Amino acid sequence: MLIAFDFDGTLSDSEMTVLLGKRNGTAQDMADITERAMNDEIAYAESLRQRCALLEDLPDEKAQAAFDEVELRPGAGEVIAALREAGHYVAILTGGFERGVEAALAKEGVDVDAIVANRLPVTDDRLTGEVDGPLIEGTKDDALEVATAITGEDRAQTVAVGDGANDLPMLKVAGLAVGFEPKPAVEPSCDVTVSTMGELHDLFEERGIL
């Protein structure tokens, strides 16, 4: 079975752009833009570009220090490890940044099968203020479609776990849509909601996934 997770707000309660913004004094601006996007008040792609533009000229070593602060939620590593041990394909589909996801997974000593994430280009050891990757304009239902094609899984047998407006596309097409403390605009599209990784583990056991 294919299990697709969002990262920021779901597997992690670290908000990557805010951690990056703390390095150059733009954290509050980042948080305000993020909140508007997650509540579906501004298009996700536009919000991401606005946030990344605030990072122009940030030294890459400061960016890496911010990525190194990203952490998984309590219990998230155990859920991922249990799913993979049970033979499931675990993917992280995030509008966040690959380096932050990789740092958080490494810290917990867990791996996933695929990370679909965005990147912050670097020139002369400084961030350019731009962003590239598959989940700027691309949406998570497309990413889920690619993952099911790679794994040969039936999309009706997939599970998607997310919390924000940019998770709606994958939540709407997955066989089981799980909201992790979902935003009000997202909850109606969820089959079930949980608020801790322990609850998510229990749900997977109830559904025979674990």
Side-chain angles (χ1 to χ4, degrees):
M1 184 176 278
L2 190 156
I3 321 290
F5 286 97
D6 168 50
F7 189 77
D8 289 302
T10 301
L11 285 176
S12 172
D13 60 6
S14 305
E15 178 54 60
M16 273 187 238
T17 52
V18 172
L19 290 173
L20 288 158
K22 284 180 180 175
R23 300 284 164 168
N24 71 351
T26 60
Q28 188 56 54
D29 294 329
M30 294 286 191
D32 293 344
I33 297 168
T34 299
E35 186 65 21
R36 291 178 64 205
M38 290 298 99
N39 286 322
D40 223 6
E41 295 169 18
I42 180 176
Y44 182 77
E46 176 58 25
S47 80
L48 186 59
R49 288 195 180 94
Q50 286 182 15
R51 285 176 283 163
C52 293
L54 294 171
L55 296 170
E56 183 177 358
D57 219 32
L58 182 71
D60 191 48
E61 64 184 51
K62 289 192 174 184
Q64 188 58 52
F67 288 135
D68 288 341
E69 289 182 56
V70 180
E71 296 183 338
L72 296 182
R73 276 184 196 283
E78 289 86 340
V79 170
I80 291 169
L83 288 169
R84 295 194 77 223
E85 196 171 311
H88 299 301
Y89 186 98
V90 178
I92 293 174
L93 312 182
T94 176
F97 308 113
E98 201 167 54
R99 286 161 66 187
V101 174
E102 289 170 347
L105 293 172
K107 204 177 287 184
E108 291 285 331
V110 292
D111 289 312
V112 295
D113 296 284
I115 298 170
V116 180
N118 294 324
R119 294 170 294 279
L120 294 172
V122 176
T123 300
D124 297 330
D125 296 322
R126 291 179 178 270
L127 302 194
T128 64
E130 296 174 347
V131 56
D132 63 31
L135 287 173
I136 304 168
E137 296 290 353
T139 53
K140 293 188 182 183
D141 55 338
D142 295 334
L144 192 63
E145 195 71 54
V146 170
T148 55
I150 291 169
T151 60
E153 298 282 352
D154 180 345
R155 196 166 70 179
Q157 296 300 308
T158 59
V159 178
V161 188
D163 73 307
N166 66 321
D167 298 317
L168 281 170
M170 74 171 179
L171 290 167
K172 286 177 176 174
V173 299
L176 177 63
V178 183
F180 192 97
E181 293 193 321
K183 302 293 188 290
V186 177
E187 191 165 354
S189 296
C190 301
D191 298 313
V192 61
T193 64
V194 297
S195 56
T196 67
M197 284 292 151
E199 286 180 23
L200 184 61
H201 192 286
D202 292 346
L203 173 69
F204 285 154
E205 286 186 335
E206 289 164 15
R207 298 293 177 114
I209 296 166
L210 288 176

